[in-house]
Amino acid sequence: MNEMAIRTRGLRKQYKKEDAVRDVTFDVAAGSIFGFIGPSGSGKTTTIRMLTGIEKPDDGEISVLGQPPAKFDQRMRGRIGYMPQNFVLYPDLTVRENLNFAASIYGMNLRRSKEMKTALELVELVEHQHKPVNQISGGMQRRLSLAATLIHSPTLFFLDEPTTGIDPVLRQKFWQRFKELQADGRTLFITTQYVSEAAYCDQVGLLIAGRLLTVDSPEGLRMQAYGGDMIRAETAQHISDGLILDLQEETYVRSVMRRDPHRIEIGVEEAGTDIARLIKWFEARSTALTFVEEYVPSFDDIFVSLVKRHRAGE
Ligand code: ADP
Ligand code: MG
């Protein structure tokens, strides 16, 4: 099955004649988690607002669950759950009343106490459920807005920065819940500023200044950034420029980066076999390795590398 929950082609949105989003094209497979990652102001919210039909693109095409958002009817809206970045809550109502209100908007029947309980537990607001929303913190309000979005059972979720400002432990719990929703057959389109959250996604779109740098799987991003596995090595002798140039000529070597005179990072095809090759290669040049190991770069490193590559290619 290769059904697409979302398709966009050449999306563009301008504000005051400036492109907020330009030439954005991607597909989101039904039943997948798509992470839309980019710094503040990169166009994540603008894109979500076009996908949900709130904003009209200046250019390009969108199909969401097989329909253009401009033509969504009530039934279609019921199949979509949207957590906006700035959720409008009723400040005088309690946490529980707000959640109840959201549930009724989504047309849930009155026997929903189990769903309410599950949602409140997920966002850890059970003990605060009777407080008015204007007396809880901004972070708690965010958690409540996520609960309000998750309380009904849409096919497709748009979550705009559900983890921003949330502590790491709770963030992990949220992602577990998103995975469960996926296992239940739903599609999730999630924006985040935390690049490490790429690891939880099936596909990641990297958005910089309104342009989609790349769309790939987490593993694919790693490959794009480094061309393969990464190895760290240290030498007793100084590593010369000449040595680095020679190393780059080796067929199995994808990239070489000198961290300091004694430490280098080498991208290779396959760490398992190439570590032995490297040890021999250095020995043959009278530069014994004092340390060598494979390492898995963090997504922070991967994104920095991708952004640099992109800039260099421009
Ligand atoms: P993100 O969600 O990634 O932080 P946004 O989509 O909110 O980014 O914003 C992208 C760009 O578009 C920013 O430069 C922002 O200032 C601009 N922008 C967003 N919404 C509006 C608006 N309603 N009017 C004018 N400019 C806007
Ligand atoms: Mg935003």
Side-chain angles (χ1 to χ4, degrees):
M1 201 182 75
N2 204 15
E3 196 190 324
M4 290 302 157
I6 305 171
R7 285 175 68 93
T8 78
R9 292 293 175 270
L11 273 193
R12 178 208 289 270
K13 181 73 195 176
Q14 294 192 315
Y15 293 114
K16 302 182 194 103
K17 298 197 174 149
E18 293 272 336
D19 286 339
V21 164
R22 181 160 40 136
D23 199 21
V24 165
T25 295
F26 61 84
D27 293 334
V28 178
S32 71
I33 297 184
F34 189 96
F36 208 51
I37 302 187
S40 178
S42 57
K44 301 182 297 297
T45 298
T46 303
T47 304
I48 282 205
R49 288 168 65 87
M50 290 191 282
L51 296 176
T52 49
I54 295 164
E55 296 268 15
K56 202 171 149 313
D58 292 315
D59 228 330
E61 288 163 27
I62 309 176
S63 163
V64 173
L65 302 175
Q67 282 187 30
K71 294 198 175 145
F72 284 172
D73 56 17
Q74 201 57 34
R75 199 184 69 86
M76 272 297 284
R77 297 213 167 272
R79 296 178 66 198
I80 293 169
Y82 171 38
M83 175 193 166
Q85 192 168 1
N86 300 302
F87 197 75
V88 182
L89 299 158
Y90 292 87
D92 299 328
L93 296 185
T94 66
V95 166
R96 193 179 172 84
E97 286 164 346
N98 265 282
L99 199 54
N100 214 359
F101 184 75
S104 47
I105 288 184
Y106 294 130
M108 290 178 68
N109 68 31
L110 286 170
R111 276 196 247 142
R112 55 193 171 219
S113 58
K114 187 165 159 279
E115 286 87 349
M116 298 264 298
K117 186 164 171 282
T118 308
L120 284 168
E121 276 170 1
L122 170 76
V123 299
E124 299 183 351
L125 284 177
V126 174
E127 61 192 276
H128 302 288
Q129 61 179 305
H130 300 301
K131 289 185 186 161
V133 161
N134 59 17
Q135 283 172 30
I136 60 171
S137 71
M140 287 185 195
Q141 292 183 9
R142 246 187 129 57
R143 277 145 58 187
L144 173 57
S145 64
L146 178 62
T149 310
L150 298 187
I151 196 157
H152 71 136
S153 306
T155 307
L156 171 60
F157 286 97
F158 291 101
L159 306 178
D160 199 356
E161 297 197 27
T163 56
T164 294
I166 304 292
D167 76 71
V169 177
L170 191 53
R171 268 164 61 191
Q172 216 166 39
K173 192 169 148 196
F174 282 6
W175 278 104
Q176 267 168 25
R177 180 68 190 131
F178 301 156
K179 287 281 188 195
E180 284 167 21
L181 288 165
Q182 178 189 21
D184 205 25
R186 298 166 209 285
T187 309
L188 295 96
F189 183 94
I190 304 176
T191 74
T192 181
Q193 294 185 37
Y194 300 115
V195 297
S196 61
E197 293 181 343
Y200 299 113
C201 306
D202 297 302
Q203 291 284 305
V204 174
L206 176 54
L207 195 70
I208 305 284
R211 307 198 64 168
L212 203 51
L213 222 68
T214 184
V215 178
D216 211 331
S217 63
E219 196 44 45
L221 293 174
R222 207 181 285 284
M223 285 299 287
Q224 276 194 47
Y226 300 106
D229 295 337
M230 288 302 287
I231 289 171
R232 272 194 188 123
E234 288 177 21
T235 56
Q237 295 89 347
H238 274 221
I239 304 161
S240 68
D241 290 346
L243 201 73
I244 286 181
L245 287 173
D246 285 353
L247 187 55
Q248 279 167 342
E249 293 299 311
E250 291 296 303
T251 52
Y252 59 93
V253 171
R254 297 276 191 253
S255 63
V256 182
M257 163 100 100
R258 185 169 39 186
R259 287 286 175 199
D260 67 38
H262 298 275
R263 290 190 309 146
I264 49 173
E265 289 170 12
I266 307 160
V268 295
E269 269 171 19
E270 171 71 62
T273 50
D274 294 333
I275 282 185
R277 283 175 162 179
L278 282 172
I279 292 173
K280 279 203 191 120
W281 189 90
F282 276 90
E283 266 171 12
R285 282 154 190 82
S286 318
T287 312
L289 295 180
T290 52
F291 169 87
V292 58
E293 72 166 12
E294 183 186 359
Y295 82 97
V296 180
S298 70
F299 277 102
D300 286 290
D301 290 344
I302 291 171
F303 278 70
V304 168
S305 165
L306 288 174
V307 171
K308 270 192 196 152
R309 260 168 199 241
H310 176 77
R311 295 220 171 107
E314 261 178 356

